[in-house]
Amino acid sequence: MDQTQKLNAPIRKHIFLIVAGVLLLLLAAAAGFDWQISQTIGDMNDPFATLFQDVGLWTAPLIIILSCNIVCHYAIRSQQLAWYTRTLMVIGSVIYAGWELWAGYLKYAMTMVITSLNDINAGKPMGMANSDGSKLTLPGATSIILFLILYLVVFIGSQYWLAHKTDEQLHYLLKMAVVATLVCLLSDQIVNAMKTFWGRFRPYELNGNPTHFTSWFQPNGANGHMSFPSGHTQTAATLLTLTWFVDRDKPKRQRLVFWLTFAYGAVMAYTRVRILAHFTGDVTMSLILTWSLILILAAIVQQPLVDWEALTARSSAKNLNTEPIS
């Protein structure tokens, strides 16, 4: 291990230990004070939290749609694959991206926004909208127009971005697109399975009455209640994989994207507790599960989110260049 790697290892270790320590402390605190925290900071009329609830689920769909565009662009550019394989890649990625935008995001977001507006007009709390057990419906022409606009914007923007990549960069992006999509799908499956099995009441469902309150570590079985873990937080936490799509020769940009996407997951977690949709234990467990999955897959494919080695090397080189000559 060279000097750069020796300097690099503590950076990653310290970040991991700090984040893991904070999350475990939150989980421990939630075991004893989930109810008290919820009752103290909860407010279903918080517009910021309502905004995150209604339209904040764009993260995992964006990762999947971006990954589909990478597959599509790779198939179009590659001459090594058989024509029928390339055709299947293009058709499959275009359809899957469209489906993810429509069913994975747009239906939910528009339904929630409309429901929130109706609740406000009816004098109800703006954040009480919830999709558990409900059927999501959309207004016809408006939703189709919005879908086409969003799809074309993302498609054209992604293809323009990918057109400026070298073949080597595109091959790397293809690999990471598969890994990032796997993170989104696996974390979603894990959280949804736990939701059903745990059967935990949401804070707003209890309406200030702790009769049916249970701690996060106590599963109740399938009963239709789905508070633990938080789906919104899991989806937001997957945005951290966006760091993989940043060029490997731009470590500062990787670091910026890393902290911005990390912050988005943390803010989403707070808003879910704030709006009384989840307890602290629910959102903390989602962060632990999703970020742990990203960490595991990063180790498997040997591709860290941030090239800390390059950052350390550049910092060391800069210090050497600016050091006064004696």
Side-chain angles (χ1 to χ4, degrees):
M1 180 181 290
D2 60 25
Q3 186 63 27
T4 299
Q5 289 175 318
K6 290 179 180 179
L7 291 171
N8 169 58
I11 296 176
R12 288 181 294 184
K13 182 179 180 181
H14 290 160
I15 292 174
F16 170 78
L17 290 177
I18 291 172
V19 174
V22 170
L23 290 176
L24 291 176
L25 284 174
L26 282 173
L27 202 59
F33 302 101
D34 245 350
W35 177 261
Q36 292 87 338
I37 296 172
S38 177
Q39 295 303 299
T40 300
I41 70 173
D43 181 5
M44 296 188 73
N45 273 309
D46 187 321
F48 182 73
T50 300
L51 179 65
F52 266 71
Q53 173 172 263
D54 291 357
V55 300
L57 286 178
W58 53 270
T59 49
L62 175 64
I63 295 298
I64 294 176
I65 293 169
L66 184 60
S67 297
C68 287
N69 275 277
I70 292 171
V71 172
C72 180
H73 192 90
Y74 183 88
I76 292 173
R77 189 190 294 190
S78 176
Q79 299 298 322
Q80 299 175 344
L81 300 174
W83 68 267
Y84 50 84
T85 301
R86 296 168 63 193
T87 302
L88 288 174
M89 290 172 68
V90 171
I91 295 175
S93 60
V94 168
I95 293 176
Y96 188 26
W99 172 256
E100 190 63 30
L101 174 60
W102 177 264
Y105 177 67
L106 196 57
K107 285 179 67 176
Y108 178 88
M110 289 191 67
T111 301
M112 294 294 283
V113 168
I114 293 171
T115 303
S116 291
L117 293 174
N118 290 337
D119 288 340
I120 292 172
N121 291 331
K124 300 177 182 178
M126 66 175 67
M128 70 179 297
N130 193 277
S131 63
D132 287 354
S134 64
K135 294 182 179 180
L136 302 178
T137 58
L138 284 174
T142 303
S143 60
I144 293 174
I145 293 173
L146 184 57
F147 167 79
L148 291 175
I149 292 174
L150 289 175
Y151 189 91
L152 287 175
V153 167
V154 176
F155 180 82
I156 294 173
S158 298
Q159 295 305 315
Y160 177 81
W161 167 61
L162 292 166
H164 293 81
K165 301 299 179 185
T166 64
D167 289 344
E168 182 180 359
Q169 289 173 324
L170 186 60
H171 188 269
Y172 160 79
L173 287 171
L174 179 68
K175 179 177 73 172
M176 300 322 300
V178 174
V179 179
T181 300
L182 187 60
V183 168
C184 295
L185 297 179
L186 281 179
S187 60
D188 181 69
Q189 289 293 315
I190 293 170
V191 167
N192 282 329
M194 292 179 67
K195 275 178 173 290
T196 301
F197 177 71
W198 243 258
R200 193 184 194 192
F201 281 74
R202 296 179 183 271
Y204 77 84
E205 291 175 327
L206 297 171
N207 197 27
N209 184 352
T211 302
H212 296 290
F213 170 79
T214 54
S215 297
W216 64 262
F217 52 81
Q218 179 183 336
N220 301 311
N223 57 13
H225 299 281
M226 300 182 179
S227 187
F228 181 86
S230 166
H232 270 72
T233 307
Q234 167 266 319
T235 302
T238 62
L239 190 62
L240 197 65
T241 62
L242 192 64
T243 313
W244 273 324
F245 297 119
V246 181
D247 291 340
R248 294 295 95 181
D249 60 349
K250 294 182 172 62
K252 288 186 177 180
R253 189 174 299 177
Q254 295 167 22
R255 182 175 59 184
L256 175 63
V257 174
F258 174 86
W259 287 117
L260 288 176
T261 54
F262 176 89
Y264 188 86
V267 171
M268 175 63 84
Y270 167 76
T271 62
R272 300 308 286 156
V273 178
R274 171 70 169 168
I275 209 168
L276 293 174
H278 288 284
F279 292 102
T280 302
D282 304 336
V283 300
T284 304
M285 181 57 71
S286 286
L287 292 177
I288 291 174
L289 289 171
T290 308
W291 286 343
S292 294
L293 182 60
I294 293 174
L295 189 65
I296 292 169
L297 290 178
I300 291 174
V301 298
Q302 297 183 348
Q303 188 58 64
L305 291 165
V306 178
D307 189 350
W308 299 107
E309 286 186 19
L311 276 172
T312 305
R314 290 188 180 188
S315 178
S316 300
K318 184 178 179 181
N319 291 336
L320 288 173
N321 290 332
T322 57
E323 186 176 316
I325 301 176
S326 56

